[in-house]
């Protein structure tokens, strides 16, 4: 986790300094959104699938307690060791204690947004454990000392030339080589050595089945499997909301996940882990970290349906132009903006305001989370709790006072129009945030009220 | 857990997941081949009269180093004598295995460790070759799980094409960490 305390707007401003780069970022993500559309539109049953997935997750939210116990009992019967973590700190301690037990200080880890949420890498680093992220995108940002900027495409903000430079520095590739095929090949060799020598592998979990006690991990690269199958100990970390009741429900979610994420018909590997391999140890850490609290917030509990496809980010006009790091949270974009305030309403108070409320996120969400409605509701909740940005609160109070007094409103309006005509430069100065990348239209001579009063008499 | 119990809403019913009649329609074999090819795989249609073993050699070349876990197709054995350590599979060039069934809508095949014995096998090899009967194609994932239901595997998975990544500027590269190619021999 980053310790940045700057606001979303300030961080976006930094991202926006290089206009060509922002345009490139924007267009890349939109291209992925279009691939998602193409995949979805091929299927007449798409909307039915979304509705069904949402309904299954409703059931999961409503029966989470019993489903968790059912999952635990079946996983234990399968020979998996089950751990419970109330929060991020306990989660990190559990993982570390397993490593200590086996005297292991070097591990591989495949993509897990949960471990990002818990700050596991930083925690283990402090405990002198060497963690190698094995997803190519995650490895790139890890080598650069960054965190992922997108949950599916961790280094979507990096250009190939920069990756070439990074690999030259860390992996010894020839200077100036920025060919994706070549760089991926170099990473393959670099990471194979890690897969073959490390005794503990951490993976995330995409779905866990209560009925069978198995869990499913989806990757394109095969890095989760390379790590898990070549290690003596496999630790899988999951948020408690990742459950599905029955195995047959996987069919619904696997049809939606990759199509929503990248437009692929499915991820290359959908691996079903049910029992440890002979001689192997398998652990699963079930993490709450605020999820039970979110479950109690009727307006926001639907956010727990999320299957982490990233479609809401790819479509979001704000995310595409502000970059994932501007959200200061492991899960960025619209979904991150409704998950983060549950963990710390004050720290993430600005995120629900980083949206145009256009609703595109809700329209592409494969489990039909009402994301933009929740963004709107978080704004009210945050303001009620006194965490809204101060300038905004002040401005809102002024506006409320003026709108409540019609005479003052009319006077203010006519004054503003006069002033804008007489001193236009006063209103276009860059000090006013609204003027960033915008130009004021010419002020009208009269208000609609004035025009109406005049013209109504005429007719 | 107490908080979960206290905070969870009341929901009693699970939705019906029966595939609706208006779902996309396609020919099972054609769609499977079309989708798998589109995602970087290769499909070879095998006729009844073909000698599969000879055909495999023809496809990969007579000099190819093939490790087979299919009893009827004896190439090299999984492990050299004296070891069962999966790490030695690092040297496998072509891995040959059987799939239980394939899924047409997404070009994937279902395999479990019962068919191929060592979990790392289809990932650690440089190239993956799979034998699948076209009688064992199901149209959708829903039907796939009807077939999986009740199976007692320790590890099972869907594989759809070669290992791949597009993490560097969205340029698709086949062969991320696992096999660089995937060939499915689709038999009668």
């Amino acid at each position: 986790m980053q310790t940045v305390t700057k606001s979303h707007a300030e961080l976006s401003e930094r991202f926006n300094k290089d206009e060509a780069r922002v345009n490139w970022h924007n267009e890349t993500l939109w291209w992925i959104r279009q691939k998602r559309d193409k995949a979805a539109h091929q299927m007449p049953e798409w909307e039915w699938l979304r509705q069904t997935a949402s309904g299954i997750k409703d059931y999961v939210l409503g029966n989470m307690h019993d489903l968790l116990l059912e999952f635990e009992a079946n996983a234990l019967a399968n020979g998996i060791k089950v751990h419970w973590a109330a929060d991020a700190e306990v989660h990190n301690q559990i993982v570390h204690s397993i490593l200590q037990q086996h005297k292991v200080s070097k591990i591989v880890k495949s993509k897990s947004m949960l471990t990002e949420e818990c700050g596991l890498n930083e925690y283990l680093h402090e405990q002198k454990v060497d963690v190698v992220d094995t997803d190519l995108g995650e490895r790139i940002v890890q080598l650069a000392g960054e965190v992922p900027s997108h949950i599916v495409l961790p280094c979507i903000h990096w250009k190939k030339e920069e990756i070439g430079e990074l690999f030259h520095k860390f992996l010894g590739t020839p200077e100036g080589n920025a060919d994706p095929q070549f760089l991926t090949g170099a990473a393959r060799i670099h990471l194979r050595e890690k897969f073959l020598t490390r005794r503990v592998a951490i993976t995330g979990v995409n779905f866990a089945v209560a009925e069978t006690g198995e869990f499913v991990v989806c990757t394109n690269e095969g890095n989760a499997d390379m790590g898990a199958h070549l290690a003596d100990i496999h630790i899988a970390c999951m948020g408690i909301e990742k459950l599905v009741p029955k195995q047959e429900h996987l069919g619904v979610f696997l049809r939606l996940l990759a199509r929503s994420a990248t437009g692929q018909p499915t991820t290359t590997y959908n691996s079903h882990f049910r029992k440890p391999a002979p001689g192997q140890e398998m652990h699963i850490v079930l993490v709450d970290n605020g999820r039970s609290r979110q479950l109690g917030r009727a307006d926001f509990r639907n956010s727990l349906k999320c299957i982490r496809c990233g479609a809401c980010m790819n479509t979001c006009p704000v995310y595409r132009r502000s970059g994932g790091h501007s959200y200061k949270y492991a899960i960025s974009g619209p979904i991150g903006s409704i998950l983060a305030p549950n963990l710390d309403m004050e720290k993430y108070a600005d995120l629900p305001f980083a949206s145009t409320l256009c609703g595109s996120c809700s329209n592409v969400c494969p489990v039909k989370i009402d994301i933009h409605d929740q963004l709107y509701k978080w704004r009210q909740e945050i303001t009620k709790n006194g965490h809204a940005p101060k300038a905004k609160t002040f401005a809102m109070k002024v506006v409320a006072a003026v709108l409540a007094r019609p005479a003052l409103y009319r006077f203010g309006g006519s004054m503003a129009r006069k002033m804008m005509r007489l001193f236009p430069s006063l209103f276009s100065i860059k000090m006013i945030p609204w003027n960033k990348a915008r130009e004021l239209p010419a002020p009208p001579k009269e208000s609609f009220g004035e025009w109406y009063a005049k013209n109504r008499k005429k007719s | 857990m107490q908080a979960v119990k206290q905070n969870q809403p009341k929901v009693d019913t699970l939705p019906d997941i029966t595939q609706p009649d208006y779902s996309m329609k396609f020919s099972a074999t054609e769609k499977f081949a079309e989708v798998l090819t589109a995602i970087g795989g290769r499909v070879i249609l095998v006729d009844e009269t073909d000698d599969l073993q000879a055909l495999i050699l023809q496809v990969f070349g007579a000099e190819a180093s093939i490790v087979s876990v299919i009893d009827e197709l004896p190439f090299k054995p999984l492990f050299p004598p004296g070891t069962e350590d999966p790490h030695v599979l690092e040297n496998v060039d072509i891995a040959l295995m059987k799939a239980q069934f394939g899924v047409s809508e997404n070009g994937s095949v279902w395999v479990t460790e019962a068919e191929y014995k060592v979990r790392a096998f289809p990932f650690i090899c440089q190239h993956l070759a799979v034998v699948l009967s076209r009688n064992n194609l199901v149209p959708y994932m829903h039907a796939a799980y009807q077939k999986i239901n009740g199976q007692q595997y320790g590890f099972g998975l869907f594989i759809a094409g070669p290992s791949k990544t597009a993490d560097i500027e969205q340029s698709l590269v086949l062969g991320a960490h696992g096999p660089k190619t995937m060939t499915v021999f689709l038999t009668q």
Side-chain angles (χ1 to χ4, degrees):
Chain A
M1 258 181 284
Q2 288 169 302
T3 47
V4 190
T5 47
K6 285 195 158 38
S7 73
H8 179 270
E10 287 170 298
L11 291 165
S12 308
E13 200 171 331
R14 202 185 296 168
F15 188 75
N16 272 275
K17 280 205 172 114
D18 185 346
E19 198 175 324
R21 194 187 181 100
V22 175
N23 291 342
W24 164 77
H25 187 263
N26 170 38
E27 282 157 21
T28 308
L29 287 158
W30 185 250
W31 178 63
I32 299 164
R33 153 77 209 259
Q34 286 174 317
K35 289 204 292 182
R36 172 257 172 219
D37 289 351
K38 219 175 132 197
H41 295 163
Q42 276 175 20
M43 299 167 70
E45 68 269 42
W46 184 256
E47 290 305 317
W48 169 80
L49 268 176
R50 289 177 71 212
Q51 190 61 45
T52 306
S54 190
I56 296 168
K57 283 288 185 183
D58 274 328
Y59 184 88
V60 171
L61 298 186
N63 299 274
M64 199 177 270
H65 178 265
D66 290 354
L67 290 171
L68 280 169
L69 292 182
E70 187 186 348
F71 175 75
E72 181 190 33
N74 287 324
L76 287 171
N78 291 339
I80 303 175
K81 295 180 197 294
V82 181
H83 309 261
W84 297 88
D87 55 34
E89 204 184 334
V90 178
H91 162 265
N92 294 346
Q93 285 163 357
I94 290 171
V95 172
H96 186 229
S97 73
I98 299 170
L99 300 181
Q100 277 180 319
Q101 244 172 51
H102 294 275
K103 300 191 173 55
V104 169
S105 60
K106 290 177 169 184
I107 66 169
V108 284
K109 181 162 84 65
S110 70
K111 198 149 55 179
S112 152
M113 282 307 121
L114 176 77
T115 61
E116 292 293 331
E117 173 189 323
C118 293
L120 180 67
N121 278 18
E122 289 79 357
Y123 177 86
L124 290 179
H125 183 72
E126 281 163 23
Q127 313 295 324
K128 310 268 180 276
V129 175
D130 180 44
V131 182
V132 169
D133 281 324
T134 57
D135 173 84
L136 176 59
E138 279 207 325
R139 186 65 182 146
I140 290 167
V141 292
Q142 187 183 36
L143 286 174
E146 285 187 356
V147 293
S149 72
H150 188 292
I151 58 173
V152 176
L153 319 154
C155 66
I156 190 74
H157 60 297
W158 275 69
K159 294 229 172 196
K160 60 185 178 193
E161 290 79 15
E162 295 159 346
I163 297 168
E165 240 170 82
L166 187 77
F167 278 20
H168 171 63
K169 189 171 160 198
F170 288 98
L171 308 184
T173 55
E175 203 168 359
N177 194 327
D179 174 41
Q181 178 98 33
F182 176 80
L183 295 175
T184 303
R188 177 185 172 98
I189 295 165
H190 160 67
L191 288 167
R192 248 191 193 226
E193 189 268 327
K194 309 290 179 207
F195 288 129
L196 289 165
T197 53
R198 304 222 155 169
R199 289 176 48 222
V200 175
I202 296 179
T203 71
V205 169
N206 289 90
F207 306 100
V209 185
E211 178 188 40
T212 57
E214 73 193 309
F215 58 91
V216 178
V217 182
C218 310
T219 74
N220 279 323
E221 298 184 7
N223 57 315
D225 290 276
M226 281 292 276
H229 303 318
L230 292 171
D232 302 332
I233 299 135
H234 174 187
I235 307 170
C237 303
M238 65 175 262
I240 52 173
E241 84 284 17
K242 293 275 155 188
L243 283 173
V244 297
K246 294 176 181 207
Q247 190 187 46
E248 63 182 16
H249 295 136
L250 291 172
V252 175
F253 291 100
L254 289 177
R255 295 187 80 190
L256 288 164
L257 179 60
R259 288 182 172 106
S260 298
T262 58
Q264 292 172 255
T266 181
T267 34
T268 306
Y269 303 106
N270 294 312
S271 300
H272 297 50
F273 294 87
R274 195 185 286 188
K275 294 171 189 164
Q280 198 197 32
E281 220 177 274
M282 197 179 274
H283 296 260
I284 189 146
V285 189
L286 292 154
V287 185
D288 180 345
N289 204 33
R291 287 161 176 78
S292 57
R293 183 171 59 237
Q294 188 89 323
L295 190 62
R297 301 186 203 260
D299 281 343
F300 304 114
R301 67 165 62 104
N302 273 350
S303 61
L304 296 172
K305 292 180 178 178
C306 176
I307 58 171
R308 307 284 190 265
C309 70
C312 60
M313 303 171 189
N314 304 341
T315 201
C316 177
V318 176
Y319 175 89
R320 282 188 274 122
R321 292 176 183 83
S322 67
H325 289 155
S326 63
Y327 293 80
K328 309 165 283 183
Y329 180 58
I331 298 160
S332 51
I335 183 69
S337 301
I338 59 175
L339 290 171
N342 172 53
L343 287 176
D344 188 336
M345 208 188 288
E346 199 177 346
K347 184 176 173 193
Y348 300 117
D350 54 334
L351 294 189
F353 294 91
S355 163
T356 63
L357 301 184
C358 72
S360 184
C361 46
S362 306
N363 289 335
V364 296
C365 177
V367 287
K368 291 192 130 176
I369 301 171
D370 50 340
I371 305 176
H372 74 294
D373 288 336
Q374 291 192 33
L375 285 166
Y376 174 64
K377 286 174 187 162
W378 266 121
R379 291 181 183 186
Q380 296 171 343
E381 194 71 15
I382 283 162
T383 307
K384 223 187 293 166
N385 284 278
H387 301 308
K390 290 215 165 53
K392 218 162 246 175
T393 312
F394 175 72
M396 282 300 162
K397 277 191 182 141
V398 171
V399 170
V402 173
L403 290 180
R405 296 169 179 82
L408 185 61
Y409 173 76
R410 279 195 296 273
F411 174 72
S414 78
M415 279 305 284
R417 283 189 296 279
K418 260 181 215 141
M419 294 292 280
M420 280 165 82
R421 270 199 304 277
L422 294 171
F423 311 104
S425 56
L426 202 63
F427 290 86
S428 60
I429 52 171
K430 293 287 168 206
M431 290 277 285
I432 304 171
W434 196 89
N435 285 333
K436 280 179 207 161
R438 291 192 190 96
E439 271 173 26
L440 267 181
K445 286 200 181 67
E446 55 194 3
S447 72
F448 174 74
E450 288 164 352
W451 177 89
Y452 184 72
K454 215 158 62 191
N455 285 278
R456 193 178 168 217
K457 276 176 206 153
K458 269 190 210 160
S459 55
Chain B
M1 281 302 273
Q2 218 36 55
V4 170
K5 194 167 190 174
Q6 208 180 328
N7 287 344
Q8 65 189 20
K10 198 172 148 45
V11 184
D12 298 327
T13 49
L14 263 169
D16 178 14
I17 63 164
T18 316
Q19 180 96 2
D21 298 334
Y22 55 80
S23 299
M24 56 175 171
K25 303 278 188 295
F26 43 74
S27 131
T29 309
E30 273 168 36
K31 180 78 175 176
F32 179 81
E34 174 202 316
V35 176
L36 185 54
T37 309
I39 56 181
R42 173 167 63 158
V43 176
I44 296 187
L45 299 171
V46 184
D47 286 333
E48 235 162 320
T49 50
D50 284 337
D51 175 353
L52 188 54
Q53 187 138 6
L55 183 68
I56 290 169
L57 278 175
Q58 196 191 320
V59 167
F60 290 109
E63 302 299 308
S65 164
I66 302 171
V67 172
S68 169
V69 289
I70 306 175
D71 293 339
E72 311 87 89
L73 294 168
F75 289 92
K76 284 187 184 168
L78 190 57
F79 290 115
T83 179
E84 292 215 340
D85 177 5
H87 291 80
V88 305
L89 300 176
E90 149 78 350
N91 301 315
V92 172
D93 188 30
I94 300 163
L96 178 64
M97 57 200 280
K98 217 181 235 179
Q100 284 187 19
F101 63 86
V103 186
S104 296
E105 69 156 313
N106 59 25
S108 66
V109 299
W110 172 255
V111 293
T112 74
E113 62 184 340
E115 283 88 50
Y116 70 86
K117 292 153 187 107
V118 180
R119 294 182 184 186
F121 188 51
F123 302 99
I124 201 167
C125 57
Q126 299 295 320
H127 304 274
L128 179 64
V130 175
V131 177
L132 170 70
S133 161
R134 63 188 85 178
N135 297 324
N136 293 334
L137 285 174
V138 297
Y140 313 106
M141 289 297 278
H142 303 272
Y145 278 103
Q146 285 167 6
K147 283 200 159 220
I148 295 170
N149 187 20
Q151 287 190 16
Q152 292 302 317
Y153 52 85
F155 177 73
L157 81 155
F158 289 102
I159 306 176
S163 141
K164 63 182 165 198
T165 182
D167 274 343
I168 301 179
E169 274 199 22
Q170 290 301 297
S171 301
L172 181 68
V173 178
L174 302 181
H177 302 295
K180 297 169 181 170
T181 68
M182 179 188 185
T183 309
V184 173
F185 292 91
L186 207 51
T187 61
Q188 290 290 339

